[in-house]
């Protein structure tokens, strides 16, 4: 089977060939996911450096949801919860 295409062709969702003066190719979705995972790993690593091991679970939402109010002095408690929520928000934003 022979296919003759002038310019870029889209086959099964993939763009083949180069158009003249077209926009630069967008990064692949898997690359964006890898960047988000890398950013999330970096954020958790930074958080682990700041908190004792027993205060940090694998899932930040679990750490926040399962935290018992009053189990730390109030100044430590507010800082602890702020650190967890800030890290979770930064991960959602992608770094």
């Amino acid at each position: 089977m022979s296919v003759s295409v002038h310019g870029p062709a889209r086959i099964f969702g993939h763009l083949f060939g180069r158009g003249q003066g077209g926009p630069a190719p967008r990064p692949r979705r898997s690359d964006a996911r890898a960047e988000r995972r890398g950013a999330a790993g970096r954020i958790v690593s930074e958080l682990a450096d700041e908190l004792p091991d027993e205060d940090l679970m694998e899932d930040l939402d679990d750490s926040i949801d399962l935290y018992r109010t009053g189990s730390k002095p109030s100044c430590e408690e507010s800082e602890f919860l702020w650190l967890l929520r800030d890290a979770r928000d930064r991960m959602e934003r992608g770094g």
Side-chain angles (χ1 to χ4, degrees), residues 41-62:
R42 180 182 43 79
I43 291 167
V44 170
S45 177
E46 291 170 3
L47 190 60
D49 290 343
E50 295 181 38
L51 298 175
D53 290 339
E54 62 271 5
D55 285 346
L56 188 61
M57 297 179 178
E58 280 188 41
D59 187 334
L60 292 180
D61 288 326
D62 286 346

Side-chain angles (χ1 to χ4, degrees), residues 75-90:
C75 61
E76 288 181 25
E77 183 174 80
S78 61
E79 182 180 6
F80 171 73
L81 291 173
W82 183 85
L83 284 171
L84 291 178
R85 289 181 182 130
D86 180 59
R88 181 187 58 196
D89 293 344
R90 287 174 40 208

Side-chain angles (χ1 to χ4, degrees), residues 11 22 26 31 49 72 74 77 79:
I11 301 172
R26 293 184 354 198
D31 293 341
D49 290 343
K72 296 182 179 297
S74 62
E77 183 174 80
E79 182 180 6

